[in-house]
Amino acid sequence: MPASDLPPSAATPAPAPPGRHRSGRPRSAAADAAILAATREVLVESGWSGLKLGDVAARAGVAKTTLYRRWAGKNELVVDAVAVLFDELELPDCGSLAGDVSAVVLRFARLLERPETRTSLMAVIAESTRDEALRDRIRSAIVDRQKRLVLLGRRRAQDRGEIPRDPDPVSAARNADLIFDVIAGTVVHRALVSAEPVDEEWSRRLAALLIEGLEG
């Protein structure tokens, strides 16, 4: 880490791990939102290597020590800045599994079209190829949280009688992982790697292909 981004004193105790915060003054939701938004803005402008916590703090209008009370370093901060974007995704209830899948695919693609999402996601993925701890944080903060959409969609479809219920929890978890990987991986590849459009026709075809596999 560059010297300019080190905490004010080397003797200062290490920041609390992700998900745990120091005691004292309550965290400000507004300050957190400003910091995460500033992180994405600086990342778009400067890239991963050019992102400095001092620049983020200045953009957010907070002291750099405020960042270190909340996040242990750049990796944790950027992943959380990406995670809140994906938390915006919701699964519409379109009355059918095909409609639900097609609708959430389109919403996911629109989210990936935003420069802050695209740049932030690609940056953390690239950096995670050489940082196992970062991969673990991406998994827990983004991937595992977004599997809620798969679980909700399957439960709705099972309640409608569109697909069979899983015989056991282990099988259910494996299927949820596979469905998530198929949808997320396919959409990310098409939108960010192939740079092809994700439109209504394509989303319907993906939904039909997925459902055919679930019914097989």
Side-chain angles (χ1 to χ4, degrees):
M1 178 182 297
S4 60
D5 272 351
L6 289 174
S9 170
T12 302
R20 297 176 58 191
H21 312 305
R22 295 177 180 178
S23 60
R25 183 184 301 176
R27 287 179 62 151
S28 163
D32 283 0
I35 291 167
L36 296 176
T39 300
R40 296 189 298 269
E41 291 171 5
V42 174
L43 192 59
V44 170
E45 294 171 5
S46 305
W48 180 277
S49 61
L51 186 145
K52 303 292 186 294
L53 297 191
D55 294 339
V56 171
R59 180 75 60 97
V62 301
K64 192 162 67 171
T65 53
T66 301
L67 271 68
Y68 282 104
R69 285 198 296 268
R70 290 159 161 78
W71 291 277
K74 183 165 76 172
N75 288 3
E76 292 82 0
L77 174 61
V78 174
V79 171
D80 283 3
V82 178
V84 296
L85 295 177
F86 285 94
D87 285 342
E88 296 175 14
L89 278 175
E90 296 296 338
L91 180 67
D93 189 348
C94 299
S96 70
L97 179 57
D100 291 356
V101 171
S102 179
V104 79
V105 163
L106 289 173
R107 291 190 178 193
F108 184 28
R110 300 296 84 79
L111 179 60
L112 293 177
E113 287 177 353
R114 292 160 56 176
E116 60 177 346
T117 309
R118 185 170 59 248
T119 302
S120 301
L121 181 62
M122 295 297 276
V124 295
I125 290 174
E127 189 67 20
S128 71
T129 61
R130 48 184 177 270
D131 187 332
E132 185 175 352
L134 180 56
R135 286 197 301 274
D136 290 343
R137 189 171 179 85
I138 291 171
R139 186 179 301 110
S140 62
I142 300 176
V143 175
D144 289 347
R145 283 191 349 212
Q146 294 313 309
K147 286 180 183 176
R148 64 188 170 84
L149 301 176
V150 172
L151 298 174
L152 174 59
R154 284 181 63 76
R155 185 166 64 249
R156 283 181 186 168
Q158 289 165 345
D159 290 343
R160 298 185 193 113
E162 294 177 283
I163 58 175
R165 296 190 183 276
D166 296 296
D168 60 80
V170 174
S171 175
R174 284 203 308 264
N175 287 336
D177 287 347
L178 181 58
I179 293 167
F180 180 87
D181 290 344
V182 168
I183 295 176
T186 304
V187 176
V188 168
H189 185 276
R190 184 167 178 86
L192 301 186
V193 179
S194 298
E196 295 288 344
V198 177
D199 53 24
E200 290 188 10
E201 178 186 358
W202 187 88
S203 69
R204 286 196 298 268
R205 287 167 53 207
L206 175 61
L209 185 64
L210 177 66
I211 292 168
E212 182 180 349
L214 290 173
E215 293 174 342

